Amino acid sequence: MHADAKLALRTARRIEKEIADAGWPVGAPLGSEEELRVRLEVSRSVLREALVLVEHHRAARMRRGNGGGLYVTAPDHGPATRAIILYLEHGGTSVADLVRARLLLEPLAAAGAAARLGEDDIAPLRAKAMPPGQRPGAPADIPAMDVFHATLGELSGNPVLRLFLHVLIALTDRFAAGEVAGRAAPVGESVEQARRRIVEAVVAGDAHEARSATTRYLEGVAGYVAAHPSRDRALRQDRPAPAPDGDAKMSELLAVRVHNEVVHRGWPVGEFLGTETELLTRYGVSRAVLREAIRVLEHHAVATMRRGPSGGLVVTEPEPSAAVEMMALYLDYRRATREDLHAVREAIELGCLDLVLARRAEPRVARRLAAAVEAGRDDAASGRVTFTELADLAGNPVLTLFLHIVTELAGRHLRGMRAEGGAVPDAVELSRWSRRSYARVAEAVIAGDDSLARHRARRELAEAFARLY
C-alpha cells in the first residue's frame, strides 16, 4: 500500500472514530468536502480516497449539490458480512469449520433468546420453525438464509452473536445449501422435530433446555458433515461474491466484478490484470469510478495498483484486517457491550480449547504449548502470549477471525476508558498475568488433564474480564 493510501486509511478511521465518539448521530452533517480537508489537514486526493472507504463501510455518505457534504448513516451488516465471506472463502475454511463455530455460538443464542423472548415473538418464531412449504408466505425450497436459526441470534439480544451467526448461517447456506440444513438432525428426529424442540424450550423460557436442544441439533449437523466428507470441501470461491446492496455505488459493483474475475482465475497471487488504460477500456467506466473500485479492492487485499512505468493492477494475498475493521465498526454502532463481548469470547476460547485438547500430540501444537509454559515462568519475557493463541492452535480459521474481532472491540473499550480518564490495568503487569494464566492452562493440556485445563481456562477468562473492566 503506497503512502497516500495509508494516509487515506488513517483519515477514514479518524472520521469513523469521530462518528463513534459522537454516539453515531445518524443524519448529522460532518462538513463539506473543503471543511473536512481543512479540519483533517490532508490533500483533496487523500480525503477523497478516505471518503471512498467511509462510504464503503456505510458509516457516512457524501451528498452533492446545495446543502451537500458528508452525513452520518446507519450501517447494516451487509458490508461486514461480505468482507468476512471474501476472506474466509480464500483461506481454506471448510463446512466443518462453520458447523463447529455454530456449535459453539448458536446454543448460546438460544439460551439468550429463552431469557428474553416476549409473548409477541412466540407466533413468528414458531412459524419460522415450520418446513418452508408450510411456512406462511415462504417458498417451498430451502431459503437462501435459514431464517429460523438467524432469528435465534436476533432474539438473543447480543449484537455480537447476532452478527457472527448471520455470517455463519449465510456461509453454511452458500456452500452447503440443502445438503446440511435440510437433511441433518439428531438421531431419531426429523429436522422439523428438532427445531420445534428448540422453539418450545425457548418459548417456555427454559434456557438450559434451549441450549441443550440446539446443541443436539447441531451435533446432528456435524455428524452429517463428518459422514459426507465430499461435501466438506474447502469454501472455494467457485461462485460469484455476494452482491452489494441496492444502494451500492458503481465503484463497489465494479470491485465485485473484478473480484469475481480473480476468483474465476483461481486467485493467482501476483498475476497482472492490466494497466489503468486497459482496465478503463475493458470495463467502460470513468477514471474516477475505476480508481474508487481499485481503492476498495486494495482495502480488501484482493488486488493492488502497482505504480511506475510497468505498473498496473496485480492480484494480492487476502488478509483479514479489512474484515476485522468492518465487523468491529458495525458492532460499535450496534452498541455491543463488554458483557456481550465477554460471553462470545468465553464461548469461542473454551471451544478452541477443546479443539486444542484433541490436537495436543501434533508436533507444532506441542511445541507452542511448551513454549507458552516457559514464557509463563519468565517475567522478563517480551511479547504478550494470550488465550487468543488457542484459536491459532485450534486450526479453525472462522474462530480465529471471530476472536480477532472480539479482541479488537475489547481493545476499543479499553482505549475509550483510558481516554475518559478511567482506571485501566498496567500494560506490563497485564502482559505478565496473561502469560502466567495461559501457561497454567497449557500445563494442564500437556499433562493430559482435560477437566483441569477447562477449569483453569474458565477461571482465567472470568478473572481477565474482572481485571479489564
Side-chain angles (χ1 to χ4, degrees), residues 149-226:
H149 294 279
T151 298
L152 292 178
E154 294 169 6
L155 294 174
S156 73
N158 185 323
V160 187
L161 268 179
R162 177 181 180 178
L163 182 56
F164 285 3
L165 285 177
H166 185 95
V167 170
L168 291 171
I169 294 166
L171 274 168
T172 305
D173 181 74
R174 180 169 158 79
F175 289 92
E179 296 176 4
V180 172
R183 303 180 192 176
V187 175
E189 286 188 317
S190 67
V191 171
E192 289 73 28
Q193 289 171 328
R195 288 178 175 176
R196 279 199 294 270
R197 190 181 299 277
I198 296 169
V199 168
E200 295 314 311
V202 171
V203 171
D206 188 340
H208 176 75
E209 177 56 26
R211 191 168 194 152
S212 297
T214 306
T215 298
R216 290 194 298 272
Y217 170 78
L218 288 167
E219 284 173 343
V221 174
Y224 180 85
V225 169

Side-chain angles (χ1 to χ4, degrees), residues 12-23:
R13 287 177 175 167
R14 282 182 62 189
I15 294 171
E16 290 163 357
K17 185 176 184 303
E18 285 183 13
I19 294 170
D21 288 348

Side-chain angles (χ1 to χ4, degrees), residues 105-295:
L105 298 180
E106 205 164 321
L108 184 62
R116 297 182 71 258
L117 191 74
E119 190 162 336
D120 291 344
D121 298 319
I122 293 175
L125 180 62
R126 282 175 168 164
K128 289 171 183 174
M130 293 178 183
Q134 300 175 25
R135 191 181 307 149
D141 58 347
I142 297 295
M145 164 69 82
D146 191 322
V147 292
F148 167 69
H149 294 279
T151 298
L152 292 178
E154 294 169 6
L155 294 174
S156 73
N158 185 323
V160 187
L161 268 179
R162 177 181 180 178
L163 182 56
F164 285 3
L165 285 177
H166 185 95
V167 170
L168 291 171
I169 294 166
L171 274 168
T172 305
D173 181 74
R174 180 169 158 79
F175 289 92
E179 296 176 4
V180 172
R183 303 180 192 176
V187 175
E189 286 188 317
S190 67
V191 171
E192 289 73 28
Q193 289 171 328
R195 288 178 175 176
R196 279 199 294 270
R197 190 181 299 277
I198 296 169
V199 168
E200 295 314 311
V202 171
V203 171
D206 188 340
H208 176 75
E209 177 56 26
R211 191 168 194 152
S212 297
T214 306
T215 298
R216 290 194 298 272
Y217 170 78
L218 288 167
E219 284 173 343
V221 174
Y224 180 85
V225 169
H228 298 79
S230 63
R231 292 180 171 86
D232 186 26
R233 63 193 184 282
L235 304 189
R236 300 185 313 274
Q237 298 207 13
D238 51 4
R239 60 187 71 191
D245 53 50
D247 197 33
K249 299 169 64 178
M250 283 186 63
S251 55
E252 291 184 306
L253 297 173
L254 177 58
V256 170
R257 181 178 174 185
V258 175
H259 165 265
N260 287 336
E261 290 181 8
V262 170
V263 168
H264 184 69
R265 297 186 188 198
W267 209 292
V269 174
E271 182 171 306
F272 184 76
L273 299 177
T275 65
E276 183 176 77
T277 300
E278 290 168 343
L279 295 170
L280 287 170
T281 302
R282 183 185 310 163
Y283 298 116
V285 296
S286 69
R287 194 177 303 274
V289 167
L290 176 64
R291 289 182 174 177
E292 283 192 12
I294 289 171
R295 188 69 201 92

